[in-house]
Amino acid sequence: MSKAIRIHEHGGPEVLKWEDVEIGAPGPDEVRLKTTAAGLNFIDTYHRSGMYKIALPSVIGREGAGIVEAVGTNVTSCRVGDRVAYASSPMGAYAEARLMPADRVVKIPAAISDQQAASMMLKGMTAQYLLRRTYRVKAGDVILSHAAAGGVGLILGQWAKHLGATVIGTVGSEEKMALAKANGCDHVINYRTEDFQARVMEITNGKKCQVVYDGVGQDTWAKSLDCIAPLGMMVSFGAASGAVKPFYIGELAAKGSLYLTRPTLDTYTATRADLAATADELFAVVASGAVAIEVNQTYALRDAAQAHRDLEARKTTGSTVLIP
């Protein structure tokens, strides 16, 4: 038996229960991991609340790091004792131990700690596909990144700056303005005290941005469209403030023949080759020093409910990990 955070119904943080779970031996293509750290992400709150429906009961969490305790008979990609990390389905990271498909885990380089890996896999690989594949940022581009002091935002800001972009970030407090500024943003807008669309127009001299990266959703949607230059792209990859409401597709034409996409990490890392390439580029940019990964908060795994409360109340910045 092992301990894990499991939900039996959708709802608030109170539905997160610290319970005994049976793990068992790995199947032929699986590995059993002893968790050393699990990442905290907004998508965990969506699974918990029911915004994204999942089968119940369920151990939640999509991102973690651990040590391989056992391998299935067909597994050749890793061995007992290897340090590995993951950020994909199936869920189950909020556990002291778990099973994972072997082709969904990657080895952690020696230069990266388990806590760093657990805090950067989902957010860092998200930043990789956003910047390198969804819209391939190049030197001279002007980009707008919402929630610039969040987990994805801090990585995305540093990486985009490394690629030569001018980075405009939005945040919700003075403290977070300083954090975003220190992590790649050339301009930081406090959306609680300023009209971010007006400020983008001012910063760009009316030329707007080539791409908007929006993990906030409903609260930022409408004005974000007015921040995009003709033929630019709106990348809606999250819904921290709630899902975007239905809209008239003709708006995209009227605002400059805009492109719109709603990408997911699962799609961009669906094959083993894509997963390995995405993780390799992330590890390389971190190892080079171009992107720093700081774990700003840690909680005991059994205190996941409090971690969820703090995340949803915007009390956290950057990356957070849960420690068994």
Side-chain angles (χ1 to χ4, degrees), residues 7-12 15 46-50 52-54 56:
I7 62 172
H8 296 265
E9 60 182 330
H10 292 300
V15 304
Y46 304 160
H47 291 143
R48 186 209 72 222
S49 69
Y52 294 173
K53 298 297 183 183
I54 59 174
L56 299 176

Side-chain angles (χ1 to χ4, degrees), residues 115-307:
Q115 286 196 20
Q116 283 180 310
S119 71
M120 70 189 257
M121 289 299 291
L122 193 151
K123 292 175 279 289
M125 291 199 299
T126 296
Q128 191 278 343
Y129 82 71
L130 291 174
L131 294 168
R132 308 294 288 153
R133 297 178 68 190
T134 304
Y135 176 89
R136 194 170 180 86
V137 170
K138 60 189 181 299
D141 282 343
V142 180
I143 76 169
L144 176 61
S145 172
H146 288 303
V152 173
L154 291 180
I155 298 172
L156 189 147
Q158 295 178 74
W159 203 333
K161 188 64 177 176
H162 173 64
L163 293 171
T166 295
V167 185
I168 305 172
T170 70
V171 297
S173 71
E174 292 298 317
E175 177 189 10
K176 290 182 177 181
M177 287 185 75
L179 186 60
K181 188 76 172 179
N183 284 271
C185 288
D186 298 281
H187 308 275
V188 186
I189 303 165
N190 184 339
Y191 66 84
R192 296 188 188 279
T193 59
E194 297 181 278
D195 181 328
F196 75 79
Q197 188 265 333
R199 283 285 290 123
V200 166
M201 293 295 287
E202 179 184 335
I203 292 166
T204 64
N205 293 317
K207 295 180 179 179
K208 305 184 182 181
C209 305
Q210 279 68 57
V211 60
V212 172
Y213 293 113
D214 186 9
V216 176
Q218 182 176 308
D219 288 353
T220 49
W221 166 260
K223 287 189 175 183
S224 289
L225 293 180
D226 290 326
C227 293
I228 306 172
L231 304 180
M233 180 176 288
M234 174 68 171
V235 183
S236 176
F237 67 95
S241 68
V244 174
K245 295 177 180 178
F247 72 100
Y248 173 55
I249 196 170
E251 288 183 45
L252 301 178
K255 294 179 185 294
S257 300
L258 306 182
Y259 293 88
L260 167 66
T261 184
R262 184 62 169 85
T264 70
L265 180 61
D266 279 351
T267 307
Y268 278 88
T269 59
T271 68
R272 174 66 188 182
D274 279 339
L275 172 63
T278 302
D280 285 349
E281 187 170 5
L282 171 62
F283 290 148
V285 78
V286 172
S288 75
V291 173
I293 303 296
E294 301 290 343
V295 178
N296 290 347
Q297 298 87 204
T298 61
Y299 296 79
L301 178 58
R302 68 189 305 150
D303 296 329
Q306 186 59 50

Side-chain angles (χ1 to χ4, degrees), residues 42-65:
F42 248 103
I43 195 170
D44 303 343
T45 70
Y46 304 160
H47 291 143
R48 186 209 72 222
S49 69
M51 179 183 292
Y52 294 173
K53 298 297 183 183
I54 59 174
L56 299 176
S58 179
V59 177
I60 65 170
R62 287 171 43 100
E63 176 184 50

